[in-house]
Amino acid sequence: QKEVEQNSGPLSVPEGAIASLNCTYSDRGSQSFFWYRQYSGKSPELIMSIYSNGDKEDGRFTAQLNKASQYVSLLIRDSQPSDSATYLCAVTPGNQFYFGTGTSLTVIP
Amino acid sequence: EPEVTQTPSHQVTQMGQEVILRCVPISNHLYFYWYRQILGQKVEFLVSFYNNEISEKSEIFDDQFSVERPDGSNFTLKIRSTKLEDSAMYFCASSEGTDTDTQYFGPGTRLTVL
């Protein structure tokens, strides 16, 4: 059974703070890792992908991957109210994505 | 910017009826997928499609479901004899070159089975 675990939250941070989202996965054969954002009633929207150990930065977002610990995280700097959404971690060994249940983030103005 | 499109946005059907959900993947993408998301639950993989055949399917994707690429642009999901528990959002996705590439999701079709 390939599991992707996320803290469901809700996670609340004040505007301008750093939000930290975490994800663990069970399949050591996983090759690619993604963070998607999903607003209520909408489809998943890609934020970042990461394929190798370490950090990857894109604007206010930083993804971190540690394959040995089977752990991937997303940091959101200078959080904005528009960042309020559910953040989905997705992991793939190839072909299909396995999604976590998502972490609900609320950024308080 | 190219995007995945899906029709209809909302489909209401009676239990036992057949429905066809339609998707137009991004034009240069080679891999196509269907996922579903029951309200309040996680996104679940149904099936992947490559080179005009199913490459992988989940245990959810039983004989009630079928997929087809009837022409060069459309990708369809057929659900025969719908059940109440089929009510969900159905997302189509596509990816470009390999099966570990980023998958881009369509806006979804909300299926309501009465």
Side-chain angles (χ1 to χ4, degrees), chain A residues 2 13 21 34 40 42 45 47 53 56-60 70-71 75 78-79 90 98 107:
Chain A
K2 296 180 173 64
V13 300
L21 307 166
F34 304 85
S40 181
K42 302 296 184 182
E45 172 192 9
I47 297 175
N53 281 329
K56 179 181 177 182
E57 187 174 317
D58 183 1
R60 296 187 295 112
Q70 296 175 243
Y71 173 91
L75 298 177
D78 188 23
S79 296
Y98 295 91
V107 180

mmCIF file of all heavy atoms in Angstrom, chain A residues 2 13 21 34 40 42 45 47 53 56-60 70-71 75 78-79 90 98 107:
data_model
loop_
_atom_site.group_PDB
_atom_site.id
_atom_site.type_symbol
_atom_site.label_atom_id
_atom_site.label_comp_id
_atom_site.label_asym_id
_atom_site.label_seq_id
_atom_site.Cartn_x
_atom_site.Cartn_y
_atom_site.Cartn_z
ATOM 1 N N LYS A 2 0.739 2.069 -0.993
ATOM 2 C CA LYS A 2 1.542 3.279 -1.096
ATOM 3 C C LYS A 2 0.791 4.411 -0.395
ATOM 4 O O LYS A 2 -0.261 4.828 -0.849
ATOM 5 C CB LYS A 2 1.785 3.607 -2.563
ATOM 6 C CG LYS A 2 2.618 2.532 -3.280
ATOM 7 C CD LYS A 2 2.831 2.876 -4.718
ATOM 8 C CE LYS A 2 3.792 1.908 -5.398
ATOM 9 N NZ LYS A 2 3.268 0.534 -5.437
ATOM 10 N N VAL A 13 -1.600 30.746 10.074
ATOM 11 C CA VAL A 13 -0.439 31.607 10.257
ATOM 12 C C VAL A 13 -0.846 33.049 9.991
ATOM 13 O O VAL A 13 -1.749 33.302 9.187
ATOM 14 C CB VAL A 13 0.739 31.207 9.333
ATOM 15 C CG1 VAL A 13 1.184 29.770 9.601
ATOM 16 C CG2 VAL A 13 0.392 31.408 7.879
ATOM 17 N N LEU A 21 4.699 23.155 5.645
ATOM 18 C CA LEU A 21 3.809 22.026 5.358
ATOM 19 C C LEU A 21 4.664 20.777 5.157
ATOM 20 O O LEU A 21 5.685 20.830 4.470
ATOM 21 C CB LEU A 21 2.987 22.311 4.103
ATOM 22 C CG LEU A 21 2.222 23.639 4.120
ATOM 23 C CD1 LEU A 21 1.721 23.987 2.734
ATOM 24 C CD2 LEU A 21 1.065 23.558 5.088
ATOM 25 N N PHE A 34 5.607 16.368 -5.791
ATOM 26 C CA PHE A 34 4.925 17.579 -6.231
ATOM 27 C C PHE A 34 4.120 18.175 -5.089
ATOM 28 O O PHE A 34 3.599 17.465 -4.229
ATOM 29 C CB PHE A 34 3.965 17.262 -7.391
ATOM 30 C CG PHE A 34 4.637 16.601 -8.562
ATOM 31 C CD1 PHE A 34 4.822 15.231 -8.594
ATOM 32 C CD2 PHE A 34 5.077 17.348 -9.638
ATOM 33 C CE1 PHE A 34 5.441 14.611 -9.670
ATOM 34 C CE2 PHE A 34 5.699 16.740 -10.721
ATOM 35 C CZ PHE A 34 5.883 15.374 -10.736
ATOM 36 N N SER A 40 -11.173 25.403 -2.632
ATOM 37 C CA SER A 40 -12.407 24.652 -2.461
ATOM 38 C C SER A 40 -13.206 24.576 -3.759
ATOM 39 O O SER A 40 -13.488 25.601 -4.377
ATOM 40 C CB SER A 40 -13.248 25.286 -1.353
ATOM 41 O OG SER A 40 -14.437 24.565 -1.163
ATOM 42 N N LYS A 42 -12.248 23.504 -6.584
ATOM 43 C CA LYS A 42 -11.432 23.663 -7.788
ATOM 44 C C LYS A 42 -10.479 22.488 -7.958
ATOM 45 O O LYS A 42 -10.374 21.622 -7.098
ATOM 46 C CB LYS A 42 -10.630 24.971 -7.694
ATOM 47 C CG LYS A 42 -11.479 26.213 -7.524
ATOM 48 C CD LYS A 42 -12.370 26.462 -8.732
ATOM 49 C CE LYS A 42 -13.144 27.756 -8.597
ATOM 50 N NZ LYS A 42 -14.041 27.985 -9.756
ATOM 51 N N GLU A 45 -3.735 22.664 -8.516
ATOM 52 C CA GLU A 45 -2.924 23.595 -9.313
ATOM 53 C C GLU A 45 -1.473 23.420 -8.877
ATOM 54 O O GLU A 45 -1.162 23.518 -7.690
ATOM 55 C CB GLU A 45 -3.408 25.020 -9.036
ATOM 56 C CG GLU A 45 -2.576 26.125 -9.625
ATOM 57 C CD GLU A 45 -2.977 27.479 -9.040
ATOM 58 O OE1 GLU A 45 -3.765 27.532 -8.085
ATOM 59 O OE2 GLU A 45 -2.470 28.492 -9.533
ATOM 60 N N ILE A 47 2.175 23.853 -7.762
ATOM 61 C CA ILE A 47 3.036 24.873 -7.177
ATOM 62 C C ILE A 47 4.484 24.573 -7.525
ATOM 63 O O ILE A 47 5.200 25.427 -8.034
ATOM 64 C CB ILE A 47 2.875 24.928 -5.647
ATOM 65 C CG1 ILE A 47 1.456 25.315 -5.266
ATOM 66 C CG2 ILE A 47 3.873 25.917 -5.041
ATOM 67 C CD1 ILE A 47 1.211 25.259 -3.784
ATOM 68 N N ASN A 53 17.250 15.177 -3.830
ATOM 69 C CA ASN A 53 17.401 15.602 -2.444
ATOM 70 C C ASN A 53 17.881 17.047 -2.345
ATOM 71 O O ASN A 53 18.660 17.514 -3.181
ATOM 72 C CB ASN A 53 18.406 14.708 -1.723
ATOM 73 C CG ASN A 53 17.813 13.379 -1.310
ATOM 74 O OD1 ASN A 53 16.623 13.289 -1.016
ATOM 75 N ND2 ASN A 53 18.637 12.350 -1.316
ATOM 76 N N LYS A 56 14.647 23.304 -3.210
ATOM 77 C CA LYS A 56 14.373 23.943 -4.500
ATOM 78 C C LYS A 56 13.484 25.152 -4.224
ATOM 79 O O LYS A 56 12.442 25.023 -3.587
ATOM 80 C CB LYS A 56 13.659 22.971 -5.447
ATOM 81 C CG LYS A 56 13.321 23.580 -6.806
ATOM 82 C CD LYS A 56 12.595 22.584 -7.678
ATOM 83 C CE LYS A 56 12.197 23.192 -9.004
ATOM 84 N NZ LYS A 56 11.435 22.223 -9.851
ATOM 85 N N GLU A 57 13.937 26.292 -4.685
ATOM 86 C CA GLU A 57 13.234 27.542 -4.397
ATOM 87 C C GLU A 57 12.587 28.091 -5.664
ATOM 88 O O GLU A 57 13.165 28.038 -6.749
ATOM 89 C CB GLU A 57 14.225 28.559 -3.820
ATOM 90 C CG GLU A 57 13.587 29.841 -3.321
ATOM 91 C CD GLU A 57 14.599 30.743 -2.620
ATOM 92 O OE1 GLU A 57 15.407 30.233 -1.833
ATOM 93 O OE2 GLU A 57 14.559 31.963 -2.882
ATOM 94 N N ASP A 58 11.379 28.633 -5.496
ATOM 95 C CA ASP A 58 10.683 29.293 -6.600
ATOM 96 C C ASP A 58 9.868 30.425 -5.997
ATOM 97 O O ASP A 58 8.788 30.197 -5.440
ATOM 98 C CB ASP A 58 9.784 28.297 -7.341
ATOM 99 C CG ASP A 58 9.097 28.925 -8.550
ATOM 100 O OD1 ASP A 58 9.327 30.123 -8.824
ATOM 101 O OD2 ASP A 58 8.328 28.217 -9.225
ATOM 102 N N GLY A 59 10.415 31.627 -6.069
ATOM 103 C CA GLY A 59 9.731 32.767 -5.491
ATOM 104 C C GLY A 59 9.601 32.629 -3.984
ATOM 105 O O GLY A 59 10.585 32.413 -3.287
ATOM 106 N N ARG A 60 8.385 32.705 -3.488
ATOM 107 C CA ARG A 60 8.155 32.594 -2.041
ATOM 108 C C ARG A 60 8.105 31.144 -1.560
ATOM 109 O O ARG A 60 7.960 30.893 -0.366
ATOM 110 C CB ARG A 60 6.839 33.297 -1.678
ATOM 111 C CG ARG A 60 6.832 34.796 -1.933
ATOM 112 C CD ARG A 60 5.562 35.459 -1.400
ATOM 113 N NE ARG A 60 4.344 35.008 -2.087
ATOM 114 C CZ ARG A 60 3.399 34.282 -1.531
ATOM 115 N NH1 ARG A 60 3.500 33.887 -0.267
ATOM 116 N NH2 ARG A 60 2.324 33.930 -2.222
ATOM 117 N N GLN A 70 12.260 9.820 3.618
ATOM 118 C CA GLN A 70 10.973 9.729 2.920
ATOM 119 C C GLN A 70 10.072 10.886 3.337
ATOM 120 O O GLN A 70 8.922 10.686 3.762
ATOM 121 C CB GLN A 70 10.321 8.365 3.173
ATOM 122 C CG GLN A 70 11.148 7.238 2.585
ATOM 123 C CD GLN A 70 10.600 5.854 2.930
ATOM 124 O OE1 GLN A 70 11.263 5.065 3.608
ATOM 125 N NE2 GLN A 70 9.418 5.572 2.471
ATOM 126 N N TYR A 71 10.611 12.053 3.158
ATOM 127 C CA TYR A 71 9.997 13.265 3.679
ATOM 128 C C TYR A 71 10.142 14.377 2.651
ATOM 129 O O TYR A 71 11.199 14.569 2.060
ATOM 130 C CB TYR A 71 10.742 13.623 4.982
ATOM 131 C CG TYR A 71 10.385 14.923 5.622
ATOM 132 C CD1 TYR A 71 9.370 14.982 6.578
ATOM 133 C CD2 TYR A 71 11.084 16.085 5.330
ATOM 134 C CE1 TYR A 71 9.058 16.162 7.197
ATOM 135 C CE2 TYR A 71 10.768 17.277 5.958
ATOM 136 C CZ TYR A 71 9.763 17.311 6.893
ATOM 137 O OH TYR A 71 9.448 18.479 7.516
ATOM 138 N N LEU A 75 7.794 25.174 2.223
ATOM 139 C CA LEU A 75 7.789 26.391 3.012
ATOM 140 C C LEU A 75 7.229 27.523 2.162
ATOM 141 O O LEU A 75 7.610 27.664 0.995
ATOM 142 C CB LEU A 75 9.211 26.755 3.457
ATOM 143 C CG LEU A 75 9.936 25.756 4.361
ATOM 144 C CD1 LEU A 75 11.353 26.249 4.636
ATOM 145 C CD2 LEU A 75 9.172 25.573 5.659
ATOM 146 N N ASP A 78 6.556 34.831 3.631
ATOM 147 C CA ASP A 78 5.719 36.025 3.455
ATOM 148 C C ASP A 78 4.287 35.602 3.042
ATOM 149 O O ASP A 78 3.765 36.033 2.013
ATOM 150 C CB ASP A 78 6.336 36.943 2.394
ATOM 151 C CG ASP A 78 5.631 38.286 2.298
ATOM 152 O OD1 ASP A 78 4.993 38.697 3.285
ATOM 153 O OD2 ASP A 78 5.692 38.899 1.213
ATOM 154 N N SER A 79 3.701 34.763 3.853
ATOM 155 C CA SER A 79 2.373 34.219 3.533
ATOM 156 C C SER A 79 1.353 35.327 3.320
ATOM 157 O O SER A 79 1.333 36.334 4.053
ATOM 158 C CB SER A 79 1.901 33.305 4.675
ATOM 159 O OG SER A 79 2.743 32.180 4.804
ATOM 160 N N ALA A 90 1.901 15.215 -3.612
ATOM 161 C CA ALA A 90 1.712 14.106 -4.550
ATOM 162 C C ALA A 90 3.060 13.467 -4.824
ATOM 163 O O ALA A 90 4.073 14.149 -4.988
ATOM 164 C CB ALA A 90 1.076 14.592 -5.845
ATOM 165 N N TYR A 98 0.128 9.507 -6.262
ATOM 166 C CA TYR A 98 -0.503 9.198 -4.989
ATOM 167 C C TYR A 98 -0.577 10.507 -4.207
ATOM 168 O O TYR A 98 0.451 11.152 -3.970
ATOM 169 C CB TYR A 98 0.300 8.153 -4.212
ATOM 170 C CG TYR A 98 0.347 6.818 -4.897
ATOM 171 C CD1 TYR A 98 1.371 6.490 -5.781
ATOM 172 C CD2 TYR A 98 -0.652 5.862 -4.682
ATOM 173 C CE1 TYR A 98 1.407 5.271 -6.427
ATOM 174 C CE2 TYR A 98 -0.621 4.637 -5.324
ATOM 175 C CZ TYR A 98 0.418 4.350 -6.202
ATOM 176 O OH TYR A 98 0.442 3.140 -6.838
ATOM 177 N N VAL A 107 -4.307 31.850 6.131
ATOM 178 C CA VAL A 107 -3.424 32.981 6.419
ATOM 179 C C VAL A 107 -4.297 34.116 6.923
ATOM 180 O O VAL A 107 -5.193 34.599 6.208
ATOM 181 C CB VAL A 107 -2.627 33.406 5.185
ATOM 182 C CG1 VAL A 107 -1.718 34.589 5.517
ATOM 183 C CG2 VAL A 107 -1.810 32.227 4.651
#
